[in-house]
Amino acid sequence: LTINKRTLTVTANLKYIFKGEALPTFTSTITGWVNNDQSGVVSGPQHSLSPAYSGAAGVYTITPSILVLNAATTTKYTIVYVPGTFYVNPKGNGAKNVKPRLECIEPITNGPGGYAYVAKFYYENTNTTPVYVPIGVNNAITVVSGGYLGVQPEVFLPGISNTFNIYFNGSSLKWNVTTYNGNQKTATASNASST
């Protein structure tokens, strides 16, 4: 009888800050536990950044390592480490707003969710590094009435993006993104409606 070890996956969680802010506490999500074995963690995991963090805006890789399990638990698992991403968004001298843009509105027939219009959006990021803005208060789509179908980006790559679609009923719809322009946090919005 051969009893193989289970795989325990340690995945570094995405983190982000704006340039000049203190480093966050890096964390990982651990999956694969059985029978309440998570109680066998002695310490860790530890996390390191690559490239070495110098305070500059940019994208860094978070690498988890050294999850220490007690003797009884370590014999049951093979640990696999999965890197995550750490974004340092531009802020201060030279930082520019991410600008949401509307390319066009088109009427459609039998649209997803039964919606009659599609809004084609894109964005402009004139910074030299990506900017991460999670969906929420600083990256929001709102409509006056009815709902919508589609998801806006959270990672804004430098340059001008390809379009993405939001399906809606034609009432006023707004995509609002709040980022830094220099040291001032400001919102930029793009509006869409059937008219």
Side-chain angles (χ1 to χ4, degrees), residues 134-190:
I135 293 172
V137 67
N138 292 321
N139 182 6
I141 292 177
T142 55
V143 291
V144 170
S145 65
Y148 67 90
L149 183 65
V151 179
Q152 70 269 38
E154 293 182 306
V155 177
F156 300 90
L157 300 174
I160 298 175
S161 81
N162 295 323
T163 59
F164 67 95
N165 296 332
I166 299 292
Y167 299 92
F168 71 120
N169 64 7
S171 68
S172 181
L173 177 144
K174 184 195 312 189
W175 179 28
N176 188 76
V177 179
T178 303
T179 52
Y180 276 92
N181 188 18
N183 284 311
Q184 182 68 40
K185 199 170 190 180
T186 57
T188 307
S190 186

Side-chain angles (χ1 to χ4, degrees), residues 105-120 166-168:
I105 301 287
E106 292 180 359
I108 53 175
T109 307
N110 299 321
Y115 293 113
Y117 294 91
V118 59
K120 295 188 175 186
I166 299 292
Y167 299 92
F168 71 120

